[in-house]
Amino acid sequence: MPGEAMLPPRPRRERAVVSFRSTFDAMEAERLCGEAGVPGRIIPLPVEITAECGLAWAMPEGAGPREAFMAAVEGSLVPEGIYTLAL
C-alpha cells in the first residue's frame, strides 16, 4: 500500500536441509527431533533439491545439529540427503 514502510529483507543464513523419501518420514523426523530437542523445523522442499517428498527438515548448519539429528532418527528412518543452503 502507498505510504507503508517496507520491511528490510531478512538476512539469509546457512542451514542444513534434510530431504526425505516420503511425507511419513518427514513427519516422523519432526516427531523424533522434537522428542530429542533437536533444533529445526519442517519446511517446504527448496527448489534447489530434487526429492520424492515435498517437505524437508531445516536446522542450523554445523556438526552439532547434524549429529543430534542423525542420533534422533537412527534406527527409525534414513534421510534421502543432507544439504547446506542459504535460507
Side-chain angles (χ1 to χ4, degrees), residues 31-85:
R31 183 185 70 77
L32 293 167
C33 287
E35 289 175 359
V38 178
R41 64 186 177 97
I42 290 286
I43 63 169
L45 186 71
V47 295
E48 297 90 347
I49 301 172
T50 302
E52 296 282 327
C53 177
L55 299 174
W57 177 260
M59 61 189 160
E61 179 53 59
R66 283 181 186 230
E67 290 171 6
F69 173 84
M70 293 306 291
V73 302
E74 184 177 14
S76 296
L77 60 96
V78 177
E80 189 170 80
I82 302 178
Y83 308 86
T84 300
L85 299 174

